[in-house]
Amino acid sequence: MRIPQRSRTVLQLVATLALIVGLVAGCTGVEPTPGSTTGTTPSTTSPFDPTTTAPPEPSGPLLAYRAADELGLVDGTNVITTAPGTFAASNDLMATEDGRFVFARTTDNLLATIDVANQKADTRPVPVGPVLGTADGSKVVWWEQPNRLMQLDLADPASQPVLQQTVDLPPTAGVPPGEPRLVVARGGTAVIARVEAPPSPFGGPDTLYAVRGPVPPTPLGEADANSPVTVARLSPDGASLAYALYRDTDNGCGTAAVVLSDAAGAQQTFDVAGPGGETGSRVPKLWWPATGPPRLSLATWRCDGPQEYSPLVWQVATDRIEQVTPPTSALQTAEVAPGQRALILPKGGAYTEPTGTLVFEESDRRFTIKDGVDAIAVLPPPP
């Protein structure tokens, strides 16, 4: 049947109007009728919605640092997260033994942390002792007078401090002993110091004890120094101890030594030789890498003048201490990856304060990361 021209025009107009209505409905987000396959679903996202995107995977081992105003994590040359706070320079450890957390005590005795996996910073409202060490996994430990070794598991956000163990040091005869204090804890060992002889004007000498498990503490002998032991490190397995001595003098021109001790108390002492006869020396930092012998920075100065020398990095050898190769001037170093190092460089090149500038070194290039840094630690990449 033939459709008249007028009717065809009307039908074309109706079809055109239907097409326009469909397009308008799609553009305005109007939902189609049930069963329809036309139209679009309106967006439910907003640029102000919270993101659940995980942080990017690190390109390699991470570097942690403690500065006067923050803890930080560095990936390569980029600071990827920080935990703000006020931190005093110290020789405390700053990474848990499983590498999951970075931590430090704030100046008001609280605990600042960074969760390495999600790069989340937090401050735990938990009062802690003046020296922090580590136990297995994600645990940190500290000393609570008169005889309590406390611990906190950072892997549990709801955890509270618990007693790890009670430590009863042996009684002394004669002079009442000083209060015990924690020097360092790592790998299942805690080292406790106590003054048991008439104290010198500089606060020493300390008598040291190794606490490993529930057995009685092992005496490590009296430190051969008239000032307290404050710079110490345990090997990763907790079986060996390295600590620095400082023999103070009235004119501030003391000398340093380094002691290596095993768990049974057998010791080797390495005296430090300065560049001249009238030279003072001190060990600002001592660290024990995951592999290899302990290392230390040695600061020296002239006793009869204002001259101070650049601190040099040494390591403990079998029967001596020796400078590392290549010779390095720094407060602390860390091997981040093959061909890459992190260094804390003292201001002005000489040791005048316990902080410096953190730099990343690759080949002959150095990149500045952060000022006011006093400690660093390398965190292995997650398995």
Side-chain angles (χ1 to χ4, degrees), residues 72-94:
L73 275 181
V74 183
D75 184 8
T77 59
N78 299 317
V79 178
I80 57 176
T81 191
T82 60
T86 304
F87 305 97
S90 75
N91 283 282
D92 288 4
L93 295 170
M94 55 177 299

Side-chain angles (χ1 to χ4, degrees), residues 33-233:
T33 56
S36 171
T37 58
T38 62
T40 59
T41 302
S43 172
T44 59
T45 62
S46 162
F48 301 103
D49 288 344
T51 179
T52 57
T53 304
E57 290 293 327
S59 59
L62 295 177
L63 179 73
Y65 66 82
R66 181 178 61 225
D69 59 349
E70 66 186 21
L71 294 178
L73 275 181
V74 183
D75 184 8
T77 59
N78 299 317
V79 178
I80 57 176
T81 191
T82 60
T86 304
F87 305 97
S90 75
N91 283 282
D92 288 4
L93 295 170
M94 55 177 299
T96 56
E97 295 180 13
D98 57 9
R100 291 182 56 189
F101 292 88
V102 177
F103 63 90
R105 180 180 65 91
T106 65
T107 53
D108 54 355
N109 296 323
L110 300 182
L111 191 62
T113 65
I114 295 177
D115 187 321
V116 177
N118 60 26
Q119 298 168 22
K120 180 183 177 183
D122 191 18
T123 298
R124 301 284 295 265
V126 176
V128 295
V131 173
L132 291 174
T134 61
D136 62 293
S138 298
K139 298 182 180 70
V140 296
V141 300
W142 63 92
W143 183 261
E144 184 179 276
Q145 298 296 349
N147 60 353
R148 293 158 56 90
L149 197 60
M150 306 296 294
Q151 76 175 28
L152 179 71
D153 190 354
L154 300 183
D156 180 3
S159 64
Q160 293 296 316
V162 297
L163 176 67
Q164 185 188 81
Q165 69 179 99
T166 299
V167 179
D168 292 318
L169 299 181
T172 60
V175 179
E179 289 188 338
R181 55 187 178 83
L182 179 67
V183 176
V184 65
R186 185 187 189 190
T189 300
V191 177
I192 308 299
R194 183 176 67 174
V195 176
E196 298 180 352
S200 77
F202 309 104
D206 278 335
T207 297
L208 303 181
Y209 296 88
V211 178
R212 193 171 177 89
V215 299
T218 300
L220 301 180
E222 185 179 271
D224 185 18
N226 57 2
S227 59
V229 175
T230 59
V231 182
R233 279 293 180 268

Side-chain angles (χ1 to χ4, degrees), residues 186 233-236 286-296 315 333-335:
R186 185 187 189 190
R233 279 293 180 268
L234 285 157
S235 58
L286 194 155
W287 61 100
W288 204 313
T291 59
R295 295 190 170 193
L296 60 122
Q315 66 183 6
T333 65
E335 306 297 324

